[in-house]
Amino acid sequence: MQASLWLAQLEKLEWFIAKRRENFDYLKSKFIENWIDKYFILPKETPNSEASWFGFVLSLKEWLSFSREDLLKYLNDNKVWTRLLFAWNYLKQPAFINYVKDYRVIWDLKNTDYIMNNTFWIWVFPWLDKEKLDYVILKIKEFLNGK
């Protein structure tokens, strides 16, 4: 059963990838067009790659007067789904601290901590259309205009 479902989904793979890329490119252009990019570190592809974007990853710039939590609360209250990036400073994980004793840190982890505290992503789900993506941009602009 799982294999047949996977094969049916696999037939749509090229469309999924193309639509995610299209949604990603649309969001990125709207961030730049609306000057929203000055508040965020925007994602970009690694040179010589062609990403199949899972989400549109954003990091707040350091100088901002609001927190990621302020923005995420506003977006989530306005039906814009967000998620935290799947990144974490494992040295701050309770399970790691309590159970792993044999490790060393070679340099400070300030970038790891920064991402952990200031980064999130929004969806580029294939079934999002331009109207829904424009709504995301609208809500981010509303939040920023209130700050």
Side-chain angles (χ1 to χ4, degrees), residues 65-135:
S65 62
F66 59 86
S67 71
R68 175 184 64 186
E69 287 69 30
D70 295 335
L71 175 57
L72 295 186
K73 180 174 178 359
Y74 182 84
L75 293 176
N76 287 318
D77 287 350
N78 284 277
K79 309 295 187 244
V80 175
W81 285 2
T82 64
R83 293 294 179 264
L84 299 182
L85 185 64
F86 314 126
W88 191 260
N89 180 342
Y90 288 104
L91 298 177
K92 295 185 177 180
Q93 275 282 10
F96 190 87
I97 292 168
N98 293 329
Y99 299 105
V100 179
K101 303 295 183 201
D102 187 24
Y103 66 89
R104 67 187 176 120
V105 178
I106 299 172
W107 57 83
D108 81 31
L109 299 173
K110 67 180 181 179
N111 290 335
T112 303
D113 288 337
Y114 190 83
I115 291 168
M116 179 178 69
N117 294 315
N118 296 289
T119 301
F120 68 100
W121 58 269
I122 51 182
W123 298 90
V124 292
F125 188 68
W127 285 272
L128 293 175
D129 56 24
K130 288 185 177 22
E131 180 182 349
K132 290 177 180 74
L133 297 172
D134 286 339
Y135 179 79

Side-chain angles (χ1 to χ4, degrees), residues 56-68:
F56 193 77
V57 179
L58 296 165
S59 295
L60 277 64
K61 291 195 174 173
E62 289 185 63
W63 54 266
L64 298 173
S65 62
F66 59 86
S67 71
R68 175 184 64 186

